[in-house]
Amino acid sequence: MLSTNGKTSRIKVRDKFFNLYLEKEKIDRIVSGIATCIDLDYQGKNPLFLGVLNGAFIFASDLLRKVKIPCEISFVKYSSYQGMASGEKVNRIIGLNETIRGREIIIVEDIVDTGLTMAKLLGDLKAFEPASVKIASFCFKKEAFRENFTIDYCGLEIPDLFVVGYGLDYDGAGRNFPDIYQLDETQ
Ligand code: XMP
Ligand code: MG
């Protein structure tokens, strides 16, 4: 469905409808803001970005292209979601390695929901003795958050409603939408 500005205001992903929540132009401005903060905070350093697959692959690639300081990137793969429910158990599918030791790490995540996935990653990272660890998350569901770590670079606080697009998926689908869409609860 197209709105007056030519945007698709309502999409269907698998069996659910989602409404436009955040347009790609706004996403781009938010990512630029985070990159500028990182450039300032890490002057003279060479941080290692650690993207959390699958969801963060688009945010990580946009962020990396805006950051101007010397940096590197690696990825880990965790999963906890099944359908639309954040799972109790977090599985690490591909892992961390020795390249972490002594490095300034910036974790790049698409969304922090309950915080379980990030808490598990933060715990796992300790064994590799990084010099420092900060978190950049594009979205943050503050109302659903159950942990107590700080998100150093938070793109946007969002309501506790399922979102897709910009790397976020519903059962593997919908990651390719450039804008972010929110579940239509009226369906
Ligand atoms: P937790 O609850 O561990 O969840 O903080 C983090 C992971 O779950 C995924 N997630 C979502 N994916 N729409 C999505 O497409 C959402 O609203 C959503 N909430 C959580 C995400 O992969 C994240 O890494
Ligand atoms: Mg994710």
Side-chain angles (χ1 to χ4, degrees), residues 52-57 78-80 108-112 117 167-169 175:
V52 187
L53 295 172
N54 292 330
F57 78 109
Y78 281 77
S79 77
S80 69
V108 183
E109 182 57 298
D110 52 351
I111 185 165
V112 172
T117 307
L168 293 150
D169 70 301
R175 294 192 198 275

Side-chain angles (χ1 to χ4, degrees), residues 67-163:
V67 163
K68 295 191 181 69
I69 50 161
C71 62
E72 292 165 41
I73 185 158
S74 184
F75 289 91
V76 289
K77 184 162 182 172
Y78 281 77
S79 77
S80 69
Y81 251 73
Q82 285 190 323
M84 288 193 178
S86 186
E88 286 302 310
K89 193 169 171 290
V90 180
N91 301 307
R92 173 148 48 104
I93 299 167
I94 59 170
L96 304 165
N97 58 47
E98 284 303 314
T99 56
I100 304 287
R101 197 171 302 277
R103 297 296 304 270
E104 319 270 0
I105 303 294
I106 304 173
I107 299 172
V108 183
E109 182 57 298
D110 52 351
I111 185 165
V112 172
D113 189 308
T114 63
L116 199 72
T117 307
M118 187 61 72
K120 171 94 170 88
L121 173 53
L122 290 170
D124 289 349
L125 265 175
K126 279 196 186 130
F128 295 91
E129 300 179 337
S132 67
V133 178
K134 284 195 181 183
I135 299 169
S137 181
F138 189 81
C139 295
F140 177 40
K141 284 190 190 167
K142 198 175 182 179
E143 295 156 37
F145 190 57
R146 290 196 261 123
E147 302 289 335
N148 57 11
F149 55 81
T150 302
I151 300 175
D152 305 278
Y153 307 102
C154 177
L156 187 73
E157 285 182 14
I158 64 169
D160 189 8
L161 265 185
F162 202 79
V163 284

Side-chain angles (χ1 to χ4, degrees), residues 21-57:
Y21 180 67
L22 190 68
E23 297 174 1
K24 64 173 191 272
E25 293 77 10
K26 288 184 186 154
I27 293 175
D28 191 66
R29 285 200 286 278
I30 291 171
V31 179
S32 296
I34 294 175
T36 302
C37 291
I38 290 174
D39 281 340
L40 289 171
D41 293 350
Y42 286 83
Q43 273 176 48
K45 295 181 177 160
N46 176 20
L48 173 64
F49 288 89
L50 205 57
V52 187
L53 295 172
N54 292 330
F57 78 109

